[in-house]
Amino acid sequence: MASEENFMRAPAPSPKRTIYTEAMEIFHRAADLIGLDKRVRLELEEPDYEHIFYVTAKLKDRLVPLAPEEAKAFSDLSVTQVRNPDGLERLADGKIILNGRALLGSDVNIRRGHLRLPDGGVYQLVPGESQRFKAYRVQHNQARGPYKGGIRYHREVSLDLFKALAAEMTWKTAISEVPFGGGKGGIQIDPRQYGREELENITLRFMYKLKSMIGPNIDIPAPDVGTNGDIMALMYRQYSDGERERHNMRGIVTGKDVRIGGSEGRVKATGQGVVYCIEDYYADRGETVKGKTFTMQGFGNVGSHGASILSTLGARLLAVNDADGTIYNGDGIDVQALMAYVSDPKNLKRTVAGFPGAQKIEKKDLWDIQADMLIPAALGGEITADIAERLKVKLIAEGANGPTTPEADRVLQKRGIDLIPDIIANAGGVTVSYYEWIQNKRMERWSEAEVDQRLEKAMKRNYRIIRDISRNQPRKTEMHDSRPYCIGKTVDPRCAAMILALKRIEAHYLLEGFSQ
Ligand code: NAD
């Protein structure tokens, strides 16, 4: 029997390898190299706050399709003519949500809880129940300004993952010189399995619970995987509902629709930022993007806009992999047609799979395609050491957060494959989020050209500083000054980016001191 002493005692912490410890490897390497102040290191090693909370919502009734075998038992069930087909909302998993009064006034033929729709399928009517979802917000560091970072709706999330992503935001906001710290959060949910109104209810409840922890000058969420401007609009409404000065609260979230205080150029900003870095990478070598080929993983916000801008500049997209398939066309994929295909409301999974302008290949074959660049723009940890050994590209521009594992990083260096690391490559999103936040504060509205111009300068200036740190080439030009950041020896680009972040963050602690 356990002694009373041991009762309810937490096991001693063991040094486990986790997503967070992996992500922090580069932090420790850069911190060692620059001799980061010990107390600053302790401040940055763990987040300021880690919130875990729960969100409940009442789901709607669903029609769940029967497999053809099971449906045989209902072969003589006559068709239910639905009077209000708009009330039926088809989901990517084949289920159908019954919205409002979908079946009201219809001639409903139900047998043992089953009905047949005009599409011929037999469906089981499953009553909606309440469900609980796990939610997170990690606030990593605010030395440079309010916490800032996206909201992810995805099945595979965890505190460990959000800690890593929140820390990434701390580095990224420092690198892009915006006056923010780092945060990240979201809900453990596959949003494609829920209807519009269900997602609205879940989001409102999420913000209801989040409200006490965030604010336009405290912590500012934005879209990430599985969320978008629609979700941001709901979050804004819920945060500001009934408040006397709600017009002053528009900056509570960024990534809003331009019609409700979003910034021009924000939707494409992350993809645009990736392309500004790529342009500068080639400009430095006396080359241009024109005629270059690329492959891509992920064709959501970052991937599709990045690909579209690159193709406008004359680069050719050869292959794309997403969550549901992989496509290839050696002559180049028509990116505009692919964007139209993916965003077609009939394409419930929003996938590239089945695109008529390309052939289907296996995901594993994506990594063997010869191209100038690979742009990962999906999830983290996808480029492993094995994959890095196989890649036949010359440059990886990380649109996604953390797509390359530390082992893969070492392989890429050994093989001489160049890298534009995530914390600069995909910083365009948070940079334009900052522009949105300023516009909200000042009640201004900037044109797309103005936003792009500022973004281009910011991305290229900071990317050039990182390149100079990497090459140990301290210099001051009209555009940038890398002298305070070079460390007297060359380092790989990921480490150089981290050095830039840490030196900028450290300055705050060293100059302002620590509040007691
Ligand atoms: P999104 O939800 O719009 O698109 C995600 C894409 O990844 C989809 O095409 C999806 O099919 C694909 N995907 C998901 N799981 C996959 C898997 N297992 N294998 C292959 N593909 C998979 O998300 P997004 O906003 O474009 O974000 C993509 C990445 O960029 C994420 O890592 C995100 O953190 C990062 N990022 C986004 C922004 C932004 O502004 N949206 C900013 C910085 C970084």
Side-chain angles (χ1 to χ4, degrees):
M1 208 172 83
S3 75
E4 208 166 309
E5 276 244 306
N6 287 333
F7 182 61
M8 297 286 275
R9 183 177 283 186
S14 58
K16 264 193 323 206
R17 227 175 125 78
T18 68
I19 301 173
Y20 187 62
T21 60
E22 275 208 358
M24 291 297 280
E25 273 185 27
I26 185 68
F27 163 83
H28 290 293
R29 192 144 62 81
D32 286 344
L33 274 172
I34 64 169
L36 183 71
D37 177 87
K38 276 211 177 95
R39 185 159 173 199
V40 174
R41 189 168 182 150
L42 288 176
E43 287 281 336
L44 292 172
E45 260 173 12
E46 293 291 340
D48 289 346
Y49 304 99
E50 299 169 3
H51 305 279
I52 295 184
F53 52 105
Y54 294 87
V55 173
T56 60
K58 171 92 171 67
L59 301 184
K60 289 177 169 270
D61 296 343
R62 276 164 166 63
L63 295 175
V64 179
L66 290 196
E69 267 310 300
E70 296 170 293
K72 279 186 189 152
F74 298 91
S75 55
D76 56 342
L77 182 62
S78 52
V79 171
T80 288
Q81 294 299 344
V82 181
R83 287 266 157 78
N84 176 18
D86 291 345
L88 299 183
E89 187 181 350
R90 283 182 187 273
L91 303 180
D93 61 6
K95 295 177 187 159
I96 300 173
I97 302 271
L98 291 174
N99 278 322
R101 295 165 180 186
L103 297 180
L104 197 75
S106 307
D107 299 319
V108 182
N109 300 308
I110 292 193
R111 190 189 311 151
R112 283 187 279 120
H114 293 77
L115 53 80
R116 183 185 297 282
L117 288 184
D119 65 7
V122 178
Y123 294 81
Q124 184 184 6
L125 182 61
V126 176
E129 292 190 345
S130 294
Q131 197 175 334
R132 184 180 55 229
F133 303 90
K134 196 167 185 178
Y136 304 83
R137 185 70 184 170
V138 175
Q139 296 167 323
H140 181 261
N141 186 272
Q142 59 167 346
R144 301 184 63 265
Y147 304 107
K148 181 90 189 83
I151 296 293
R152 182 172 290 198
Y153 285 2
H154 198 266
R155 270 246 63 88
E156 287 153 36
V157 296
S158 62
L159 181 63
D160 188 45
L161 173 72
F162 282 129
K163 278 175 70 176
L165 293 171
E168 278 237 346
M169 289 306 296
T170 300
W171 323 138
K172 203 179 299 180
T173 47
I175 283 175
S176 45
E177 276 186 303
V178 296
F180 293 134
K184 203 85 173 193
I187 310 181
Q188 189 172 48
I189 182 174
D190 179 353
R192 300 187 309 180
Q193 292 182 9
Y194 297 86
R196 264 188 321 274
E197 284 181 32
E198 290 175 336
L199 282 174
E200 174 169 345
N201 291 338
I202 293 163
T203 300
L204 295 180
R205 190 71 185 163
F206 175 56
M207 184 47 125
Y208 175 81
K209 294 228 166 160
L210 199 59
K211 187 170 174 179
S212 59
M213 307 166 209
I214 68 172
N217 296 312
I218 299 171
D219 182 355
I220 306 136
D224 188 66
V225 176
T227 60
N228 54 25
D230 295 349
I231 300 284
M232 294 306 114
L234 294 170
M235 291 184 74
Y236 164 64
R237 187 185 96 207
Q238 180 71 334
Y239 185 84
S240 61
D241 233 2
E243 297 284 350
R244 290 194 328 152
E245 297 198 15
R246 70 187 294 264
H247 52 280
N248 270 334
M249 297 176 176
R250 230 160 256 283
I252 179 59
V253 287
T254 57
K256 299 180 292 288
D257 189 302
V258 286
R259 292 166 296 182
I260 59 163
S263 177
E264 294 289 348
R266 172 60 184 93
V267 175
K268 68 171 168 77
T270 307
Q272 177 74 74
V274 175
V275 178
Y276 284 142
C277 287
I278 292 173
E279 270 190 318
D280 210 55
Y281 166 89
Y282 283 117
D284 179 56
R285 307 159 72 92
E287 297 173 41
T288 67
V289 169
K290 195 162 188 231
K292 299 285 187 295
T293 53
F294 65 107
T295 57
M296 181 163 253
Q297 185 186 41
F299 201 75
N301 174 290
V302 180
S304 65
H305 288 101
S308 158
I309 299 165
L310 275 177
S311 74
T312 315
L313 294 173
R316 245 178 333 128
L317 173 62
L318 300 183
V320 191
N321 158 256
D322 71 9
D324 301 286
T326 312
I327 57 169
Y328 171 78
N329 183 341
D331 296 329
I333 293 169
D334 178 342
V335 178
Q336 297 313 320
L338 183 60
M339 281 175 97
Y341 176 80
V342 168
S343 58
D344 186 327
K346 287 201 278 302
N347 186 343
L348 292 174
K349 292 186 170 171
R350 301 271 178 272
T351 176
V352 299
F355 177 61
Q359 70 185 82
K360 176 179 175 228
I361 59 168
E362 294 301 314
K363 175 174 180 176
K364 63 178 174 44
D365 297 329
L366 176 83
W367 315 116
D368 295 321
I369 294 169
Q370 185 132 25
D372 293 297
M373 312 167 242
L374 162 66
I375 304 177
L379 301 182
E382 283 285 315
I383 304 177
T384 58
D386 287 349
I387 289 173
E389 286 287 1
R390 282 162 49 192
L391 289 176
K392 296 185 181 65
V393 297
K394 296 175 207 141
L395 170 68
I396 296 179
E398 294 182 329
N401 283 314
T404 313
T405 66
E407 290 78 22
D409 244 352
R410 290 187 271 277
V411 175
L412 297 179
Q413 272 178 51
K414 183 191 77 189
R415 295 193 56 214
I417 296 176
D418 286 338
L419 176 84
I420 307 178
D422 52 2
I423 46 180
I424 178 68
N426 69 33
V430 75
T431 305
V432 178
S433 273
Y434 166 58
Y435 301 158
E436 177 175 337
W437 186 75
I438 304 182
Q439 289 172 73
N440 291 161
K441 269 192 176 294
R442 297 188 191 159
M443 311 255 170
E444 284 181 5
R445 199 184 164 124
W446 304 354
S447 69
E448 185 173 346
E450 197 174 345
V451 168
D452 284 354
Q453 205 180 14
R454 283 176 190 253
L455 177 65
E456 179 171 9
K457 251 198 185 149
M459 294 297 300
K460 292 187 176 174
R461 183 176 59 235
N462 289 304
Y463 179 42
R464 285 177 196 181
I465 295 176
I466 291 170
R467 260 196 335 243
D468 284 357
I469 299 172
S470 177
R471 294 172 182 163
N472 189 29
Q473 188 179 45
R475 61 186 166 142
K476 183 172 177 356
T477 68
E478 225 173 64
M479 180 102 156
H480 77 293
D481 184 357
S482 58
R483 293 171 305 173
Y485 304 110
C486 291
I487 62 162
K489 61 170 158 182
T490 60
V491 289
D492 61 276
R494 196 184 300 285
C495 192
M498 185 60 88
I499 287 170
L500 177 60
L502 293 186
K503 286 203 168 204
R504 282 184 176 155
I505 298 164
E506 187 185 40
H508 279 261
Y509 284 106
L510 297 186
L511 295 171
E512 296 167 20
F514 296 84
S515 306
Q516 300 295 335

